[in-house]
Amino acid sequence: MKESLEEIIQTIYLLPEQVLEEVLVNFQHLEYPKNYFLLKSGKPCKHLWFMTKGAARHFYTNEQGKEMNTWFSLDTQIIVDTTSFVKQEPAHESIQLIEDSEMYSIEYAALQVLLQKHHSFALWFIKLVELHYVAQIEDRIADLQFLDAKKRYQKLINLNSGITNRVSLGNIASYLNITQETLSRIRAGKL
Amino acid sequence: MKESLEEIIQTIYLLPEQVLEEVLVNFQHLEYPKNYFLLKSGKPCKHLWFMTKGAARHFYTNEQGKEMNTWFSLDTQIIVDTTSFVKQEPAHESIQLIEDSEMYSIEYAALQVLLQKHHSFALWFIKLVELHYVAQIEDRIADLQFLDAKKRYQKLINLNSGITNRVSLGNIASYLNITQETLSRIRAGKL
DNA sequence: ATCATTTTTTGATCTACATCAAATCAGTTT
DNA sequence: AAACTGATTTGATGTAGATCAAAAAATGAT
């Protein structure tokens, strides 16, 4: 796990010393308790977060009022509702912490200024999107389309060892797009 | 429909005249017949294409040898296997034309040079990814997770009027993640 | 420890969609 | 036009996973 913001940033794409310093001052270090909402649907996503410790879930609320998880962010992941962030339009999803968490955040407006000002920061941002976003999200589509519930579960726990101790069965089931009952039966080896 | 490459590029993000000219010379105009493969799985995706006329499908071949469509690109869309392109690793999917098509292409290496050379081109590329990629792909996940087969079909034909005349039932069914038989029954109003 | 609340498990039944098999339709070739 | 080919439709049956209901287990509060 990476502790320092500088390390997180430089691992994505190496910035010149002077640019790095200017970037760093635009980030804020934050701590929030379990259940805190980073984003509520209907509001634009004004921040991009780097989580250094903790866990969050992204979810929609469907017409029947049921919450459906679309994503988990554990520890060192980037957190953002990309669609809402890039267009600064009301978010469709909400983002809620499921553990006490620590993170760094940067505001949309500050990011735009840095992108316009520094060529190297624009290249950094491209790498960020490529590394942490594109691959993951295309994988998710393939999983939903090709794998059955049991395989989706196995893949999830392979990639996130320990997730079962940190995220409730109901939350995991919702991410896998199955009911709690079905996940319980998968775990019990009955499916 | 946009015919000129210049118009396509400038609509994404306005480039300085001199940069635009340098960008334009890095694109090639191409025409390919129906059934041509832009990309075969196993090979890295070396190009990014702007389709100006025609249609393509993106598909995986699963363990049982069945082809599963993941995406359609009709007329003015960007075509690329993003995961393979950004990492220059072997692609998991193939891209095949389903109509005689016209397009412009730029090579990965040329794109990288332009990104490093011109700040404005890096900003252009960020906009490209934001506009044509992020929104679409997150929508697709939500659709697969929340909508049943009939609603996914209705949404597809609402967003792509005329797709039923251009893409075969089997190809559409595969994209919707249902069988041909089920799609036929949906169309007949029996589901 | 006890009670209350939430989370997980178990069982019975139901449903959307798959699978398999065969028939029909459309477009091409001879 | 007849014959061949591929695309679409129809019918019968099977199954993964949903839904509904209730029990059991875990977690937390007094």
Side-chain angles (χ1 to χ4, degrees):
Chain A
M1 200 186 312
K2 291 155 202 150
E3 304 80 22
S4 105
L5 177 60
E6 183 175 334
E7 199 184 342
I8 293 172
I9 289 172
Q10 294 291 53
T11 301
I12 291 166
Y13 181 87
L14 216 59
L15 294 173
E17 185 64 32
Q18 175 222 336
V19 175
L20 174 65
E21 275 167 31
E22 192 173 335
V23 169
L24 286 172
V25 300
N26 279 283
F27 277 88
Q28 250 199 297
H29 184 252
L30 302 164
E31 297 186 19
Y32 292 117
K34 180 173 174 171
N35 295 325
Y36 180 82
F37 278 84
L38 292 178
L39 175 65
K40 289 189 181 176
S41 68
K43 310 274 186 187
C45 182
K46 290 207 183 102
H47 296 84
L48 185 151
W49 298 273
F50 288 105
M51 176 172 273
T52 47
K53 188 165 172 295
R57 69 185 182 108
H58 302 225
F59 69 94
Y60 283 66
T61 305
N62 69 10
E63 301 93 47
Q64 297 93 56
K66 198 171 149 199
E67 294 178 357
M68 315 271 286
N69 292 149
T70 54
W71 204 261
F72 294 115
S73 302
L74 301 182
D75 298 325
T76 63
Q77 281 193 270
I78 286 156
I79 301 181
V80 66
D81 177 343
T82 320
T83 305
S84 170
F85 186 77
V86 303
K87 298 184 177 174
Q88 285 297 292
E89 284 176 359
H92 297 303
E93 67 175 21
S94 298
I95 304 176
Q96 185 183 28
L97 299 180
I98 53 180
E99 292 178 0
D100 294 347
S101 303
E102 291 176 29
M103 65 199 73
Y104 294 94
S105 81
I106 184 170
E107 283 192 26
Y108 176 81
L111 187 85
Q112 295 309 313
V113 169
L114 289 169
L115 286 175
Q116 292 291 334
K117 198 165 168 189
H118 299 293
H119 186 182
S120 61
F121 187 74
L123 296 173
W124 177 88
F125 188 68
I126 289 170
K127 268 281 168 258
L128 172 79
V129 172
E130 285 178 1
L131 290 177
H132 291 267
Y133 188 75
V134 169
Q136 292 182 25
I137 210 161
E138 290 205 335
D139 252 33
R140 176 107 175 95
I141 291 178
D143 289 354
L144 282 169
Q145 203 163 2
F146 299 145
L147 305 181
D148 63 18
K150 188 174 180 180
K151 283 184 188 144
R152 291 203 297 280
Y153 177 64
Q154 287 165 341
K155 190 164 174 185
L156 179 71
I157 57 174
N158 283 343
L159 291 177
N160 301 78
S161 63
I163 194 173
T164 50
N165 303 324
R166 296 174 69 179
V167 182
S168 73
L169 176 131
N171 271 142
I172 292 175
S174 157
Y175 173 77
L176 295 171
N177 209 22
I178 57 178
T179 59
Q180 302 192 17
E181 294 93 326
T182 297
L183 180 52
S184 176
R185 284 184 246 263
I186 286 171
R187 281 187 178 170
K190 293 174 183 168
L191 268 178
Chain B
M1 198 187 309
K2 290 156 201 147
E3 304 78 24
S4 105
L5 177 60
E6 184 175 335
E7 198 184 344
I8 293 172
I9 289 172
Q10 295 290 55
T11 302
I12 292 166
Y13 181 86
L14 217 57
L15 294 172
E17 184 64 32
Q18 174 222 337
V19 175
L20 173 67
E21 275 167 32
E22 192 173 336
V23 169
L24 285 172
V25 300
N26 279 282
F27 277 89
Q28 250 201 297
H29 184 251
L30 302 164
E31 297 186 17
Y32 292 117
K34 180 174 174 170
N35 296 325
Y36 180 82
F37 279 84
L38 292 178
L39 175 65
K40 289 189 183 178
S41 69
K43 310 274 184 185
C45 182
K46 290 207 184 103
H47 296 84
L48 185 151
W49 298 273
F50 288 106
M51 176 172 273
T52 47
K53 187 164 173 296
R57 68 184 183 111
H58 300 225
F59 69 95
Y60 283 65
T61 305
N62 69 11
E63 300 94 47
Q64 297 92 56
K66 198 172 148 198
E67 293 178 359
M68 315 272 287
N69 292 149
T70 54
W71 203 261
F72 293 115
S73 303
L74 301 182
D75 298 326
T76 62
Q77 281 194 266
I78 285 155
I79 301 181
V80 65
D81 177 344
T82 319
T83 305
S84 170
F85 186 77
V86 303
K87 299 185 178 173
Q88 286 296 293
E89 285 175 358
H92 298 302
E93 66 175 22
S94 298
I95 304 176
Q96 185 183 29
L97 299 180
I98 53 180
E99 292 178 1
D100 294 345
S101 303
E102 290 176 29
M103 65 199 71
Y104 295 94
S105 80
I106 184 169
E107 283 192 24
Y108 176 80
L111 187 85
Q112 295 308 315
V113 169
L114 290 169
L115 286 174
Q116 292 291 335
K117 198 164 168 191
H118 299 292
H119 187 182
S120 60
F121 187 74
L123 296 174
W124 175 87
F125 189 67
I126 290 170
K127 267 282 166 258
L128 173 79
V129 172
E130 286 178 358
L131 290 176
H132 291 267
Y133 189 75
V134 169
Q136 292 181 27
I137 211 161
E138 290 205 337
D139 251 33
R140 176 110 177 92
I141 291 179
D143 289 353
L144 283 169
Q145 203 162 3
F146 300 144
L147 305 182
D148 63 18
K150 189 174 178 180
K151 283 185 189 143
R152 289 203 298 280
Y153 177 64
Q154 287 165 341
K155 190 163 174 185
L156 179 72
I157 56 174
N158 283 343
L159 291 177
N160 301 78
S161 64
I163 194 172
T164 50
N165 302 324
R166 297 175 68 179
V167 183
S168 72
L169 177 132
N171 272 142
I172 291 175
S174 158
Y175 173 78
L176 295 171
N177 207 22
I178 57 178
T179 59
Q180 303 192 15
E181 293 93 326
T182 297
L183 180 52
S184 177
R185 283 183 247 264
I186 286 172
R187 281 187 178 170
K190 293 174 185 168
L191 269 178

